[in-house]
Amino acid sequence: MKRPIYKFFLWIYALFYILAGCNHFLSTEVYYVIMPKWLPAPGFLIYFSGVLEIISGLLLLINKTRKFAALLIIMILIAFLPAHIYMIQQAPFMLGQMLITPLIAWLRLPLQFLFIGWAGYYFKKMA
C-alpha cells in the first residue's frame, strides 16, 4: 500500500469527498433541486450528508480509519441512489448553471456504482 499510484488515487478520492462535502455548504440551493420531495427535512439532510462526506474523506486518509471510512462512503452512496433516480425522473432541469439532460442524469447513476466499487477497494485492502 506504499505504492505512489495507490497513494495518489487515495488522495484524489479523499479530496473528492472533502470538496463534495464542502459544496453542500457552499451551494446548498443546488441540492434542494435534486432532493426527492418525499424525503423529510431536506435542509438537514443536505448539511448532514455534507458533514458525512467531509468526515469520510478525512478518515480515508488515516490508515486506522480507512476501512471504516470506505464503509461509510459505500453507505452514503447507497443512500444517495434515490436522489440520482429522482434526477432521472425530473430531467431535463437546471442544476445551478448546468442543464441536466436525461442523458447526463442517466450517466450519473453508473458513476455511483463506480464510486461504490472504488470505496470497496479500500475496504478490502484494509481487511
Side-chain angles (χ1 to χ4, degrees):
M1 288 194 225
K2 302 252 190 245
R3 290 177 286 156
I5 194 77
Y6 174 88
K7 286 188 176 191
F8 174 77
F9 282 108
L10 175 66
W11 276 86
I12 293 292
Y13 197 58
L15 186 61
F16 173 79
Y17 282 98
I18 294 166
L19 294 176
C22 290
N23 196 50
H24 285 242
F25 296 92
L26 299 173
S27 301
T28 307
E29 66 284 345
V30 171
Y31 293 93
Y32 280 100
V33 176
I34 63 172
M35 181 73 66
K37 303 302 179 219
W38 53 267
L39 286 172
F44 170 77
L45 292 174
I46 290 166
Y47 291 122
F48 182 65
S49 59
V51 168
L52 288 178
E53 286 181 337
I54 293 167
I55 290 170
S56 62
L58 292 170
L59 292 177
L60 206 55
L61 296 172
I62 302 167
N63 254 354
K64 291 184 181 206
T65 58
R66 188 165 301 141
K67 184 172 184 168
F68 172 74
L71 183 60
L72 181 59
I73 289 170
I74 291 167
M75 292 188 306
I76 291 168
L77 292 172
I78 290 169
F80 287 174
L81 286 175
H84 289 281
I85 293 167
Y86 183 74
M87 289 176 68
I88 291 167
Q89 294 169 336
Q90 300 304 310
F93 62 90
M94 292 301 293
L95 189 61
Q97 300 295 319
M98 184 177 181
L99 173 65
I100 301 297
T101 64
L103 177 63
I104 291 171
W106 273 104
L107 290 175
R108 286 179 57 104
L109 191 58
L111 280 177
Q112 292 301 108
F113 295 104
L114 173 72
F115 291 139
I116 289 170
W118 197 345
Y121 172 80
Y122 293 120
F123 182 81
K124 288 179 185 173
K125 275 291 194 193
M126 299 311 293

